[in-house]
Amino acid sequence: MNKNSSNIMALAPNTSNKRETVCIFGTGDFGRALGHKMIQSGYPVVYGSRSTQISNLIPKDAEVLSHAEAAQKAAIIIIAIQRQHYNFLIPLAEILHGKVLVDISNNLKLNQYPESNAEYLAQLLPGSRVVKAFNTVSAWALQSGTLDASRQVFVCGDDVEAKQMVMNIVRALGLTPLDKGSLLAAQEIENYPLQLFPMWKLPIFLSLGLTAFFFFYCLALDVIYTYIYEKNNFSFFIAITIPNRVCPVMALILLALVYVPGIFAAIIQLYRGTKYRRFPDWLDKWMLCRKQLGLIALAFASLHVVFTLVSPMRAFVNWRMSKGIISQALNNKTEPLNTTNAWISDSYLSLGILGFFLFVLLGITSLPSVSNNVNWREFRFVQSKLGYLALILCTAHTLVYGGKWFLSPSAYKWYLPNIYMLSLVVPCAVLVVKFVLIFPCVDKPLTQIRQGWERNPKHSE
Ligand code: NAP
């Protein structure tokens, strides 16, 4: 059949309700899964394969032909084949001329080739209209229908009409196309499925490092020191006591670290007198992972709550309580209620509960389903104003809890401060600097700079 006539026939607008035939090259896992989904959505599917023998795995309503025959039946051809086999397409260049080729391929490594697979395909077949799509959807998710977390399909391509045709198919399959622009974006789209929690790396490594440090710090002071100098075996502290010290400390420090980059950014902008110069890379990276830092902090705070709630079940706590009661009975003396202590314990519990409540609120508003439903001002109000309030409450919770014995010499085993004191360094520093930044004489120029004013415009080349 004449190639041009076949193309015109396939690209002609469809006047009936019947969907246009789609051709899929390759009867592998992805080709079959996509074929199933397309047939379910009403698309006639024709496979182009090296073998035209029909296997049981191939959707039963699909046709299997040679590549050349199959390509002539459709305007859109999905290339469900690994990049290293693309050379077999070169002899088909004439048949594929003017057709929309959908590159769905992925690589095994980030930036594996100098150019993206889609750009490579476009170089091999300059007469075809290459569109990148579907590579972020897995064959398994397509077949099992478990696409809830990944309904988005990134689409890019240089031919607007071709891209539109592919986006229409994406929509018809019940997925959400996201136009990422020209074929230049293909490299980024191909790297996307290979990334492993890119925004989580720094927060996770930082949390692991700090947790290990504080764990061994507590182990040294609460277990090893007590064993050496007081001959008490408190090794069981490893199970609950030490984690319940490390978790609140981590929660407080990580929450404070969420607000540190904002403070640095404000200081840098004030110093430079402009907002039109890039922040250093480390600050950009830190800013981008604030949400993840906050969520890890929330996880530590939640663990602290659970560890605290199970305290009454602990043998050690029960033993200490009965020891107190027995000693009062033996001495025939009832300890009067210490109102100051009662105030302190109720206050730090109350501050902790309120701080945790706001912490949870911050976590909830960071969920995309919630943040998408609030405007920018509301989001900033919760994340910045309520966030600082959560930091103030949690810092106060720690201060009230440890305040009375922070100054006692017995709190300095081996001349080292208790970890609660260490945990207050960053939050207190953040709150003090923030307090200075909200003074009108500092806040006014900062607001002007953020609105575009420049102290010395020559810096903003
Ligand atoms: P696969 O199961 O290995 O299937 C690839 C198909 O390519 C084979 O079944 C074969 O089909 C064809 N083929 C193999 N060697 C060939 C050659 N030398 N010349 C021509 N055709 C050849 O791979 P797959 O998992 O379906 O993946 C296909 C593409 O989809 C890959 O680029 C992959 O990166 C991409 N992808 C896969 C998934 C997934 O979840 N599997 C997700 C997103 C993207 P015939 O025997 O019919 O010729």
Side-chain angles (χ1 to χ4, degrees):
M1 192 189 285
N2 175 302
K3 73 172 163 70
N4 289 335
S5 67
S6 76
N7 292 348
I8 290 162
M9 181 188 75
L11 286 169
N14 199 349
T15 44
S16 69
N17 275 342
K18 203 170 166 293
R19 295 195 194 274
E20 279 181 36
T21 301
V22 176
C23 169
I24 301 178
F25 276 5
T27 56
D29 293 339
F30 197 80
R32 290 194 311 268
L34 194 60
H36 267 293
K37 189 86 186 156
M38 289 200 159
I39 289 171
Q40 277 171 4
S41 309
Y43 284 96
V45 171
V46 54
Y47 281 99
S49 175
R50 291 166 304 169
S51 154
T52 50
Q53 275 186 341
I54 308 251
S55 98
N56 288 347
L57 296 169
I58 291 173
K60 75 171 167 30
D61 294 327
E63 232 182 317
V64 184
L65 303 172
S66 70
H67 293 115
E69 286 168 331
Q72 282 171 349
K73 294 213 166 197
I76 299 182
I77 298 157
I78 294 170
I79 314 290
I81 290 167
Q82 319 281 355
R83 166 186 170 135
Q84 59 268 32
H85 306 309
Y86 281 2
N87 276 343
F88 89 94
L89 294 165
I90 296 172
L92 301 172
E94 208 175 312
I95 297 167
L96 298 177
H97 188 91
K99 304 258 181 189
V100 178
L101 301 190
V102 186
D103 181 290
I104 56 151
S105 63
N106 280 320
N107 293 321
L108 297 175
K109 283 192 293 192
L110 283 172
N111 302 318
Q112 191 173 345
Y113 300 101
E115 73 290 283
S116 66
N117 299 346
E119 286 168 304
Y120 173 63
L121 183 63
Q123 282 165 22
L124 286 182
L125 301 164
S128 304
R129 303 146 82 193
V130 176
V131 175
K132 181 91 207 171
F134 289 114
N135 68 308
T136 51
V137 181
S138 83
W140 178 83
L142 269 178
Q143 203 139 18
S144 62
T146 48
L147 278 157
D148 291 348
S150 55
R151 287 200 171 272
Q152 256 180 6
V153 173
F154 299 124
V155 183
C156 75
D158 292 337
D159 187 310
V160 177
E161 191 200 6
K163 205 160 55 172
Q164 208 52 50
M165 288 162 79
V166 176
M167 284 168 58
N168 287 343
I169 295 185
V170 174
R171 274 188 216 101
L173 300 189
L175 305 171
T176 315
L178 193 78
D179 189 347
K180 296 287 275 183
S182 75
L183 212 57
L184 282 175
Q187 187 101 27
E188 188 193 328
I189 300 179
E190 285 170 16
N191 282 340
Y192 184 82
L194 295 171
Q195 286 169 347
L196 186 67
F197 302 123
M199 290 294 141
W200 285 89
K201 266 190 199 137
L202 179 68
I204 287 176
F205 285 132
L206 182 74
S207 312
L208 286 177
L210 283 176
T211 306
F213 169 74
F214 285 124
F215 181 84
F216 289 112
Y217 195 87
C218 288
L219 190 73
L221 298 193
D222 298 330
V223 179
I224 301 173
Y225 181 95
T226 337
Y227 187 73
I228 295 174
Y229 294 102
E230 295 164 18
K231 299 284 173 260
N232 281 327
N233 179 2
F234 284 162
S235 53
F236 61 90
F237 273 14
I238 289 172
I240 289 191
T241 306
I242 294 181
N244 201 22
R245 283 190 188 156
V246 174
C247 286
V249 165
M250 286 301 299
L252 186 59
I253 293 180
L254 292 181
L255 181 63
L257 288 179
V258 170
Y259 294 96
V260 174
I263 300 251
F264 277 139
I267 294 171
I268 289 174
Q269 286 177 333
L270 277 171
Y271 173 74
R272 290 175 173 170
T274 177
K275 70 165 185 176
Y276 296 113
R277 277 171 68 192
R278 270 189 59 115
F279 290 128
D281 277 355
W282 58 267
L283 189 55
D284 267 345
K285 281 192 190 126
W286 194 346
M287 290 230 192
L288 287 173
C289 63
R290 283 181 294 180
K291 174 177 160 178
Q292 288 73 10
L293 278 172
L295 288 175
I296 298 177
L298 176 59
F300 277 113
S302 311
L303 280 175
H304 172 48
V305 170
V306 176
F307 279 129
T308 306
L309 289 177
V310 299
S311 266
M313 290 181 220
R314 298 181 60 202
F316 175 66
V317 174
N318 288 333
W319 170 80
R320 228 174 34 184
M321 273 172 63
S322 15
K323 197 176 145 213
I325 296 165
I326 290 166
S327 102
Q328 285 186 48
L330 287 176
N331 296 331
N332 201 14
K333 193 176 112 203
T334 310
E335 292 269 340
L337 172 70
N338 183 332
T339 331
T340 315
N341 276 352
W343 258 109
I344 290 175
S345 85
D346 281 8
S347 306
Y348 85 73
L349 285 174
S350 169
L351 286 165
I353 292 166
L354 292 173
F356 183 65
F357 171 77
L358 287 182
F359 223 138
V360 172
L361 197 69
L362 294 178
I364 292 172
T365 47
S366 73
L367 294 172
S369 53
V370 178
S371 57
N372 288 346
N373 283 306
V374 292
N375 66 30
W376 175 235
R377 198 162 172 218
E378 290 161 344
F379 184 76
R380 261 187 65 91
F381 173 77
V382 175
Q383 294 296 328
S384 175
K385 302 280 186 306
L386 294 189
Y388 267 108
L389 187 57
L391 184 62
I392 291 171
L393 289 170
C394 295
T395 308
H397 167 68
T398 315
L399 270 170
V400 176
Y401 172 74
K404 68 176 179 339
W405 41 268
F406 277 173
L407 299 174
S408 142
S410 66
Y412 293 85
K413 296 170 184 167
W414 280 324
Y415 303 103
L416 292 171
N418 191 288
I419 61 161
Y420 293 114
M421 279 183 251
L422 294 183
S423 75
L424 285 166
V425 176
V426 185
C428 288
V430 169
L431 291 175
V432 169
V433 181
K434 181 69 186 173
F435 184 68
V436 174
L437 287 175
I438 57 174
F439 269 85
C441 57
V442 184
D443 183 53
K444 214 174 141 199
L446 185 61
T447 310
Q448 282 176 334
I449 288 168
R450 287 181 173 169
Q451 284 168 350
W453 174 83
E454 287 185 279
R455 192 186 309 130
N456 191 353
K458 78 173 187 295
H459 283 301
S460 55
E461 329 99 77

